[in-house]
PDB file of all heavy atoms in Angstrom:
ATOM      1  N   ARG A   8     -10.215 -19.460   0.916  1.00  0.00           N
ATOM      2  CA  ARG A   8      -9.912 -20.784   0.360  1.00  0.00           C
ATOM      3  C   ARG A   8     -10.566 -20.985  -1.003  1.00  0.00           C
ATOM      4  O   ARG A   8     -10.002 -21.636  -1.888  1.00  0.00           O
ATOM      5  CB  ARG A   8     -10.387 -21.866   1.327  1.00  0.00           C
ATOM      6  CG  ARG A   8      -9.541 -21.997   2.587  1.00  0.00           C
ATOM      7  CD  ARG A   8     -10.134 -23.028   3.529  1.00  0.00           C
ATOM      8  NE  ARG A   8      -9.312 -23.199   4.726  1.00  0.00           N
ATOM      9  CZ  ARG A   8      -9.672 -23.934   5.772  1.00  0.00           C
ATOM     10  NH1 ARG A   8     -10.845 -24.573   5.765  1.00  0.00           N
ATOM     11  NH2 ARG A   8      -8.875 -24.035   6.818  1.00  0.00           N
ATOM     12  N   ALA A   9     -11.757 -20.413  -1.174  1.00  0.00           N
ATOM     13  CA  ALA A   9     -12.485 -20.604  -2.424  1.00  0.00           C
ATOM     14  C   ALA A   9     -11.952 -19.717  -3.541  1.00  0.00           C
ATOM     15  O   ALA A   9     -11.773 -20.165  -4.678  1.00  0.00           O
ATOM     16  CB  ALA A   9     -13.978 -20.326  -2.198  1.00  0.00           C
ATOM     17  N   LEU A  10     -11.698 -18.444  -3.225  1.00  0.00           N
ATOM     18  CA  LEU A  10     -11.324 -17.486  -4.263  1.00  0.00           C
ATOM     19  C   LEU A  10      -9.822 -17.275  -4.389  1.00  0.00           C
ATOM     20  O   LEU A  10      -9.347 -16.837  -5.438  1.00  0.00           O
ATOM     21  CB  LEU A  10     -12.001 -16.134  -3.987  1.00  0.00           C
ATOM     22  CG  LEU A  10     -13.531 -16.124  -4.027  1.00  0.00           C
ATOM     23  CD1 LEU A  10     -14.058 -14.722  -3.755  1.00  0.00           C
ATOM     24  CD2 LEU A  10     -14.047 -16.629  -5.364  1.00  0.00           C
ATOM     25  N   GLY A  11      -9.083 -17.573  -3.321  1.00  0.00           N
ATOM     26  CA  GLY A  11      -7.639 -17.358  -3.348  1.00  0.00           C
ATOM     27  C   GLY A  11      -6.935 -18.068  -4.489  1.00  0.00           C
ATOM     28  O   GLY A  11      -6.155 -17.451  -5.230  1.00  0.00           O
ATOM     29  N   PRO A  12      -7.175 -19.379  -4.687  1.00  0.00           N
ATOM     30  CA  PRO A  12      -6.511 -20.078  -5.800  1.00  0.00           C
ATOM     31  C   PRO A  12      -6.869 -19.500  -7.167  1.00  0.00           C
ATOM     32  O   PRO A  12      -6.032 -19.484  -8.073  1.00  0.00           O
ATOM     33  CB  PRO A  12      -7.030 -21.516  -5.657  1.00  0.00           C
ATOM     34  CG  PRO A  12      -7.396 -21.650  -4.216  1.00  0.00           C
ATOM     35  CD  PRO A  12      -7.928 -20.307  -3.819  1.00  0.00           C
ATOM     36  N   ILE A  13      -8.104 -19.023  -7.309  1.00  0.00           N
ATOM     37  CA  ILE A  13      -8.515 -18.424  -8.587  1.00  0.00           C
ATOM     38  C   ILE A  13      -7.723 -17.151  -8.844  1.00  0.00           C
ATOM     39  O   ILE A  13      -7.213 -16.919  -9.951  1.00  0.00           O
ATOM     40  CB  ILE A  13     -10.028 -18.125  -8.574  1.00  0.00           C
ATOM     41  CG1 ILE A  13     -10.819 -19.427  -8.421  1.00  0.00           C
ATOM     42  CG2 ILE A  13     -10.443 -17.392  -9.847  1.00  0.00           C
ATOM     43  CD1 ILE A  13     -12.311 -19.218  -8.251  1.00  0.00           C
ATOM     44  N   ASP A  14      -7.596 -16.313  -7.814  1.00  0.00           N
ATOM     45  CA  ASP A  14      -6.824 -15.080  -7.961  1.00  0.00           C
ATOM     46  C   ASP A  14      -5.361 -15.384  -8.253  1.00  0.00           C
ATOM     47  O   ASP A  14      -4.722 -14.703  -9.063  1.00  0.00           O
ATOM     48  CB  ASP A  14      -6.933 -14.236  -6.689  1.00  0.00           C
ATOM     49  CG  ASP A  14      -8.268 -13.527  -6.578  1.00  0.00           C
ATOM     50  OD1 ASP A  14      -9.006 -13.501  -7.583  1.00  0.00           O
ATOM     51  OD2 ASP A  14      -8.581 -13.013  -5.492  1.00  0.00           O
ATOM     52  N   ALA A  15      -4.822 -16.400  -7.584  1.00  0.00           N
ATOM     53  CA  ALA A  15      -3.419 -16.765  -7.800  1.00  0.00           C
ATOM     54  C   ALA A  15      -3.190 -17.177  -9.253  1.00  0.00           C
ATOM     55  O   ALA A  15      -2.179 -16.809  -9.866  1.00  0.00           O
ATOM     56  CB  ALA A  15      -3.022 -17.892  -6.853  1.00  0.00           C
ATOM     57  N   LYS A  16      -4.135 -17.921  -9.819  1.00  0.00           N
ATOM     58  CA  LYS A  16      -4.013 -18.331 -11.224  1.00  0.00           C
ATOM     59  C   LYS A  16      -4.092 -17.125 -12.154  1.00  0.00           C
ATOM     60  O   LYS A  16      -3.366 -17.042 -13.146  1.00  0.00           O
ATOM     61  CB  LYS A  16      -5.115 -19.336 -11.570  1.00  0.00           C
ATOM     62  CG  LYS A  16      -4.920 -20.704 -10.934  1.00  0.00           C
ATOM     63  CD  LYS A  16      -6.058 -21.653 -11.311  1.00  0.00           C
ATOM     64  CE  LYS A  16      -5.873 -23.011 -10.654  1.00  0.00           C
ATOM     65  NZ  LYS A  16      -6.995 -23.932 -10.974  1.00  0.00           N
ATOM     66  N   ASN A  17      -4.980 -16.180 -11.829  1.00  0.00           N
ATOM     67  CA  ASN A  17      -5.114 -14.983 -12.664  1.00  0.00           C
ATOM     68  C   ASN A  17      -3.834 -14.154 -12.654  1.00  0.00           C
ATOM     69  O   ASN A  17      -3.406 -13.631 -13.691  1.00  0.00           O
ATOM     70  CB  ASN A  17      -6.287 -14.132 -12.180  1.00  0.00           C
ATOM     71  CG  ASN A  17      -7.626 -14.764 -12.491  1.00  0.00           C
ATOM     72  OD1 ASN A  17      -7.745 -15.559 -13.421  1.00  0.00           O
ATOM     73  ND2 ASN A  17      -8.645 -14.425 -11.714  1.00  0.00           N
ATOM     74  N   VAL A  18      -3.224 -14.028 -11.477  1.00  0.00           N
ATOM     75  CA  VAL A  18      -1.971 -13.277 -11.378  1.00  0.00           C
ATOM     76  C   VAL A  18      -0.859 -13.999 -12.128  1.00  0.00           C
ATOM     77  O   VAL A  18      -0.070 -13.387 -12.851  1.00  0.00           O
ATOM     78  CB  VAL A  18      -1.575 -13.065  -9.899  1.00  0.00           C
ATOM     79  CG1 VAL A  18      -0.166 -12.472  -9.797  1.00  0.00           C
ATOM     80  CG2 VAL A  18      -2.574 -12.151  -9.208  1.00  0.00           C
ATOM     81  N   ALA A  19      -0.798 -15.325 -11.969  1.00  0.00           N
ATOM     82  CA  ALA A  19       0.247 -16.106 -12.638  1.00  0.00           C
ATOM     83  C   ALA A  19       0.095 -16.052 -14.156  1.00  0.00           C
ATOM     84  O   ALA A  19       1.086 -16.099 -14.892  1.00  0.00           O
ATOM     85  CB  ALA A  19       0.194 -17.554 -12.157  1.00  0.00           C
ATOM     86  N   ARG A  20      -1.153 -15.922 -14.626  1.00  0.00           N
ATOM     87  CA  ARG A  20      -1.406 -15.903 -16.063  1.00  0.00           C
ATOM     88  C   ARG A  20      -1.081 -14.551 -16.688  1.00  0.00           C
ATOM     89  O   ARG A  20      -0.761 -14.459 -17.866  1.00  0.00           O
ATOM     90  CB  ARG A  20      -2.879 -16.259 -16.308  1.00  0.00           C
ATOM     91  CG  ARG A  20      -3.210 -16.534 -17.758  1.00  0.00           C
ATOM     92  CD  ARG A  20      -4.556 -17.204 -17.901  1.00  0.00           C
ATOM     93  NE  ARG A  20      -5.606 -16.440 -17.245  1.00  0.00           N
ATOM     94  CZ  ARG A  20      -6.443 -16.945 -16.348  1.00  0.00           C
ATOM     95  NH1 ARG A  20      -6.337 -18.202 -15.985  1.00  0.00           N
ATOM     96  NH2 ARG A  20      -7.385 -16.203 -15.807  1.00  0.00           N
ATOM     97  N   ASP A  21      -1.148 -13.491 -15.886  1.00  0.00           N
ATOM     98  CA  ASP A  21      -0.910 -12.139 -16.400  1.00  0.00           C
ATOM     99  C   ASP A  21       0.513 -11.713 -16.040  1.00  0.00           C
ATOM    100  O   ASP A  21       0.818 -11.459 -14.875  1.00  0.00           O
ATOM    101  CB  ASP A  21      -1.917 -11.164 -15.782  1.00  0.00           C
ATOM    102  CG  ASP A  21      -1.899  -9.803 -16.466  1.00  0.00           C
ATOM    103  OD1 ASP A  21      -0.797  -9.338 -16.826  1.00  0.00           O
ATOM    104  OD2 ASP A  21      -2.974  -9.212 -16.635  1.00  0.00           O
ATOM    105  N   PRO A  22       1.426 -11.621 -17.029  1.00  0.00           N
ATOM    106  CA  PRO A  22       2.826 -11.300 -16.718  1.00  0.00           C
ATOM    107  C   PRO A  22       2.996  -9.936 -16.068  1.00  0.00           C
ATOM    108  O   PRO A  22       3.885  -9.747 -15.241  1.00  0.00           O
ATOM    109  CB  PRO A  22       3.518 -11.353 -18.085  1.00  0.00           C
ATOM    110  CG  PRO A  22       2.423 -11.216 -19.091  1.00  0.00           C
ATOM    111  CD  PRO A  22       1.219 -11.835 -18.473  1.00  0.00           C
ATOM    112  N   LEU A  23       2.149  -8.974 -16.432  1.00  0.00           N
ATOM    113  CA  LEU A  23       2.265  -7.641 -15.848  1.00  0.00           C
ATOM    114  C   LEU A  23       1.978  -7.680 -14.352  1.00  0.00           C
ATOM    115  O   LEU A  23       2.751  -7.159 -13.540  1.00  0.00           O
ATOM    116  CB  LEU A  23       1.299  -6.678 -16.541  1.00  0.00           C
ATOM    117  CG  LEU A  23       1.253  -5.260 -15.954  1.00  0.00           C
ATOM    118  CD1 LEU A  23       2.620  -4.593 -16.070  1.00  0.00           C
ATOM    119  CD2 LEU A  23       0.188  -4.427 -16.648  1.00  0.00           C
ATOM    120  N   LEU A  24       0.880  -8.331 -13.975  1.00  0.00           N
ATOM    121  CA  LEU A  24       0.533  -8.419 -12.560  1.00  0.00           C
ATOM    122  C   LEU A  24       1.570  -9.226 -11.789  1.00  0.00           C
ATOM    123  O   LEU A  24       1.900  -8.906 -10.646  1.00  0.00           O
ATOM    124  CB  LEU A  24      -0.852  -9.054 -12.401  1.00  0.00           C
ATOM    125  CG  LEU A  24      -2.028  -8.288 -13.014  1.00  0.00           C
ATOM    126  CD1 LEU A  24      -3.335  -9.022 -12.748  1.00  0.00           C
ATOM    127  CD2 LEU A  24      -2.096  -6.868 -12.465  1.00  0.00           C
ATOM    128  N   ARG A  25       2.098 -10.253 -12.431  1.00  0.00           N
ATOM    129  CA  ARG A  25       3.101 -11.090 -11.772  1.00  0.00           C
ATOM    130  C   ARG A  25       4.362 -10.288 -11.472  1.00  0.00           C
ATOM    131  O   ARG A  25       4.910 -10.356 -10.371  1.00  0.00           O
ATOM    132  CB  ARG A  25       3.422 -12.286 -12.668  1.00  0.00           C
ATOM    133  CG  ARG A  25       4.334 -13.314 -12.017  1.00  0.00           C
ATOM    134  CD  ARG A  25       4.400 -14.582 -12.848  1.00  0.00           C
ATOM    135  NE  ARG A  25       4.991 -14.372 -14.159  1.00  0.00           N
ATOM    136  CZ  ARG A  25       4.331 -14.517 -15.307  1.00  0.00           C
ATOM    137  NH1 ARG A  25       3.054 -14.852 -15.301  1.00  0.00           N
ATOM    138  NH2 ARG A  25       4.934 -14.314 -16.467  1.00  0.00           N
ATOM    139  N   TRP A  26       4.792  -9.491 -12.423  1.00  0.00           N
ATOM    140  CA  TRP A  26       6.016  -8.726 -12.232  1.00  0.00           C
ATOM    141  C   TRP A  26       5.835  -7.549 -11.284  1.00  0.00           C
ATOM    142  O   TRP A  26       6.798  -7.094 -10.662  1.00  0.00           O
ATOM    143  CB  TRP A  26       6.551  -8.239 -13.579  1.00  0.00           C
ATOM    144  CG  TRP A  26       7.361  -9.298 -14.265  1.00  0.00           C
ATOM    145  CD1 TRP A  26       7.003 -10.067 -15.324  1.00  0.00           C
ATOM    146  CD2 TRP A  26       8.672  -9.724 -13.889  1.00  0.00           C
ATOM    147  NE1 TRP A  26       8.002 -10.949 -15.641  1.00  0.00           N
ATOM    148  CE2 TRP A  26       9.040 -10.758 -14.779  1.00  0.00           C
ATOM    149  CE3 TRP A  26       9.566  -9.340 -12.890  1.00  0.00           C
ATOM    150  CZ2 TRP A  26      10.263 -11.404 -14.695  1.00  0.00           C
ATOM    151  CZ3 TRP A  26      10.789  -9.987 -12.805  1.00  0.00           C
ATOM    152  CH2 TRP A  26      11.131 -11.002 -13.702  1.00  0.00           C
ATOM    153  N   VAL A  27       4.615  -7.064 -11.164  1.00  0.00           N
ATOM    154  CA  VAL A  27       4.364  -5.978 -10.212  1.00  0.00           C
ATOM    155  C   VAL A  27       4.694  -6.432  -8.798  1.00  0.00           C
ATOM    156  O   VAL A  27       5.318  -5.712  -8.011  1.00  0.00           O
ATOM    157  CB  VAL A  27       2.899  -5.493 -10.308  1.00  0.00           C
ATOM    158  CG1 VAL A  27       2.515  -4.681  -9.081  1.00  0.00           C
ATOM    159  CG2 VAL A  27       2.711  -4.635 -11.549  1.00  0.00           C
TER     160      VAL A  27
END
Side-chain angles (χ1 to χ4, degrees):
R8 288 176 178 173
L10 297 181
I13 298 174
D14 284 348
K16 289 180 181 178
N17 288 335
V18 171
R20 191 166 54 233
D21 191 322
L23 176 61
L24 297 181
R25 187 169 64 245
W26 277 105
V27 163

